[in-house]
Amino acid sequence: MSKIIDLAEYRDVTPKQDEVRLPEDGFMGLGLSLSGESASADDLVKAHKWFSLAAMRGSRQARVHRLEVSARMDGDQIARAQSELHAFASERLSA
């Protein structure tokens, strides 16, 4: 089953329009470092998680990167990334 992702609404996103502050910058950096062309399946899962965290903090660029990474993943990998995201958020972000 192929995925159809319309990135048209995100194509105009630039750093100037999407100023990201820490910890989003850290989350974005982690996602970018793990999502290169030669990324393993495990790296893509981790990158998806970090982009999701940055997106939760308001980064539009992270949403774009997460969509791009998602296109390279299967459903099980995305589910694993979401599970890791929820585990991380409940452990580290709840106060």
Side-chain angles (χ1 to χ4, degrees):
M1 185 164 112
S2 64
K3 297 178 186 179
I4 299 173
I5 299 174
D6 183 7
L7 297 177
E9 71 178 282
Y10 302 108
R11 293 200 194 285
D12 65 340
V13 175
T14 63
K16 194 181 288 183
Q17 292 171 313
D18 184 29
E19 292 182 10
V20 181
R21 294 170 300 282
L22 288 174
E24 299 84 32
D25 281 337
F27 296 151
M28 277 289 295
L30 288 167
L32 290 169
S33 70
L34 292 164
S35 62
E37 260 183 54
S38 61
S40 69
D42 286 336
D43 287 343
L44 292 176
V45 168
K46 291 173 188 167
H48 190 284
K49 174 184 75 175
W50 295 123
F51 288 140
S52 293
L53 285 162
M56 286 171 55
R57 303 284 185 170
S59 172
R60 289 183 64 208
Q61 284 181 325
R63 290 171 38 201
V64 172
H65 290 297
R66 184 180 57 199
L67 284 172
E68 291 170 349
V69 166
S70 294
R72 297 162 53 195
M73 300 168 71
D74 64 28
D76 290 338
Q77 292 167 323
I78 292 171
R80 204 167 94 225
Q82 291 172 339
S83 178
E84 288 185 19
L85 166 67
H86 294 296
F88 181 89
S90 66
E91 287 178 21
R92 306 273 174 96
L93 302 180
S94 60

